[in-house]
Amino acid sequence: MSLIISLTKIFMKLIIRNSNRCLYIIKSKIRGFVCRRNFLQKNYLKLKEIVMKNNCGVPSYENPLFSKIFIETVSYCNNDCAFCPASVEAGAKNPENLMPESLYLKILNELASICFTGSIAFHCNNEPLLDPRLPSWIKMARSLLKNNFFYLYTNGILINVDLANELFASGLNRIIINNYNDQHKLNSSIRNLLDNSAVLRGEVIINYRAKTDYFGNRAGQSPNAPAFLKKPLKIQCLRPSTEIVIGYDGSVPLCCADGLWRVVMGNVKNSSLKDIWFSDFFKRVRGALAKGDRDCAEICRVCDALNFPAPKGIRE
């Protein structure tokens, strides 16, 4: 298995990634060194773009529909990671921001009516387990969307075996836990989950990460970005051609990197998902990004994101 992806150990229904501390530190330092040097970063991204085109093809902005949808039922995070614009330290999100049930049901019914077959991620720039309604809401979704792949990302602070199994029983297929710890140790709640992994009823992936790491400038919104681009990259972007994001209030930002919703494509309160997806502006942005023109939107001009498609949360 490629060391570039990570060293991976499999324990029954549990997958652990980036567990080798030395390798993680080396990768992190290399990434930081490249990102702080404009020439190296541009050439690295161009090389990555070539690899992506060979593996994934050129994205079509005329895709019949998105293949993944993110739903934020709560707009808050309880962690303080240095790279995240939605962290507690950044103070941009309110813990009282919860999606109304009527709006959630509207989204689910629309997905069912258009025979949506893609994956559903019950998270985006938030901590989904802060919403106590989540197990029952996933159960609602599963009753309408019986064959879709359901997953979520969590920082694992609130996770335990009972909650994980309740989510799996409700219809969730996969839980991906980012274990944020600068000492490269498992946080206590995640350690307890690992110790009881034999009774898990679904797939759990634990990914070691550091709170102080750098993962790109996140559409120019990352608090620990060393610098922002002075000129837009001439590199394609796959995200708006394959996925759509819905915030707690129905807002549809341009992509998952737009954690502060600076470019909003519409609102599902008063528009359908299809109308927003096929709106002139959204199609124009997707067309430009498919051609490598990042001068099409405010956040795209400064963004350095270039990611392989991950319909189920991880590259498989």
Side-chain angles (χ1 to χ4, degrees), residues 30 32 47 57 84 97 101 104 107 117 150 179 188 196 200 211 215-216 225 228 240 244 264 266 294 296 305 309:
I30 292 173
L47 178 61
C84 183
N97 290 339
E101 185 171 346
Y104 181 69
I107 295 165
T117 59
F150 291 178
N179 179 80
S188 59
N196 295 281
L200 287 172
K211 285 186 177 184
F215 300 103
F228 297 123
I244 193 168
V264 176
R294 296 198 177 201
C296 56

Side-chain angles (χ1 to χ4, degrees), residues 72-77 86 92-99 125-128 130-131 133 247-249 259 261:
E72 278 194 11
T73 67
V74 57
S75 182
Y76 193 63
C77 185
K93 303 284 181 125
N94 188 331
E96 297 176 356
N97 290 339
L98 295 171
M99 179 176 283
N125 292 285
N126 68 330
E127 172 45 53
L130 287 168
D131 189 344
R133 308 168 300 175
Y248 78 96
D249 65 351
W261 305 353

Side-chain angles (χ1 to χ4, degrees), residues 59-276:
S60 171
Y61 63 95
E62 296 179 342
N63 280 348
L65 203 61
F66 45 90
S67 58
K68 178 165 70 172
I69 182 169
F70 293 90
I71 303 176
E72 278 194 11
T73 67
V74 57
S75 182
Y76 193 63
C77 185
N78 55 349
N79 215 339
D80 57 355
C81 302
F83 58 84
C84 183
S87 73
V88 170
E89 290 295 317
K93 303 284 181 125
N94 188 331
E96 297 176 356
N97 290 339
L98 295 171
M99 179 176 283
E101 185 171 346
S102 58
L103 177 59
Y104 181 69
L105 287 172
K106 179 181 184 294
I107 295 165
L108 295 183
N109 285 320
E110 282 193 35
L111 292 173
S113 70
I114 61 178
C115 300
F116 178 64
T117 59
S119 58
I120 300 178
F122 293 90
H123 74 281
C124 195
N125 292 285
N126 68 330
E127 172 45 53
L129 300 189
L130 287 168
D131 189 344
R133 308 168 300 175
L134 194 59
S136 63
W137 280 29
I138 290 174
K139 190 173 183 178
M140 270 192 273
R142 182 56 77 197
S143 69
L144 290 169
L145 301 158
K146 301 188 183 300
N147 299 313
N148 300 72
F149 189 88
F150 291 178
Y151 77 97
L152 62 79
Y153 267 84
T154 172
N155 57 36
I157 292 174
L158 300 175
I159 197 71
N160 57 58
V161 170
D162 289 341
L163 177 55
N165 282 338
E166 185 180 8
L167 291 167
F168 290 136
S170 297
L172 197 69
N173 298 101
R174 173 180 287 167
I175 297 174
I176 304 173
I177 304 172
N178 281 335
N179 179 80
Y180 293 109
N181 187 295
D182 288 336
Q183 283 72 50
H184 211 75
K185 297 178 180 178
L186 285 177
N187 297 326
S188 59
S189 56
I190 302 170
R191 167 55 64 185
N192 289 335
L193 192 75
L194 176 62
D195 291 342
N196 295 281
S197 60
V199 298
L200 287 172
R201 299 173 190 160
E203 185 181 54
V204 174
I205 298 173
I206 297 174
N207 188 28
Y208 280 77
R209 278 188 165 188
K211 285 186 177 184
T212 53
D213 211 338
Y214 178 67
F215 300 103
N217 71 39
R218 298 170 70 94
Q221 298 170 22
S222 178
N224 73 343
F228 297 123
L229 301 174
K230 295 180 180 179
K231 293 181 180 180
L233 293 170
K234 294 181 179 179
I235 293 175
Q236 66 174 205
C237 181
L238 301 172
R239 282 173 168 166
S241 292
T242 59
E243 53 192 50
I244 193 168
V245 180
I246 304 179
Y248 78 96
D249 65 351
S251 295
V252 178
L254 175 54
C255 81
C256 61
D258 187 8
L260 301 179
W261 305 353
R262 287 182 174 160
V263 179
V264 176
M265 314 310 290
N267 193 300
V268 295
K269 279 183 181 178
N270 43 46
S271 299
S272 71
L273 286 167
K274 287 184 72 174
D275 285 345
I276 295 171

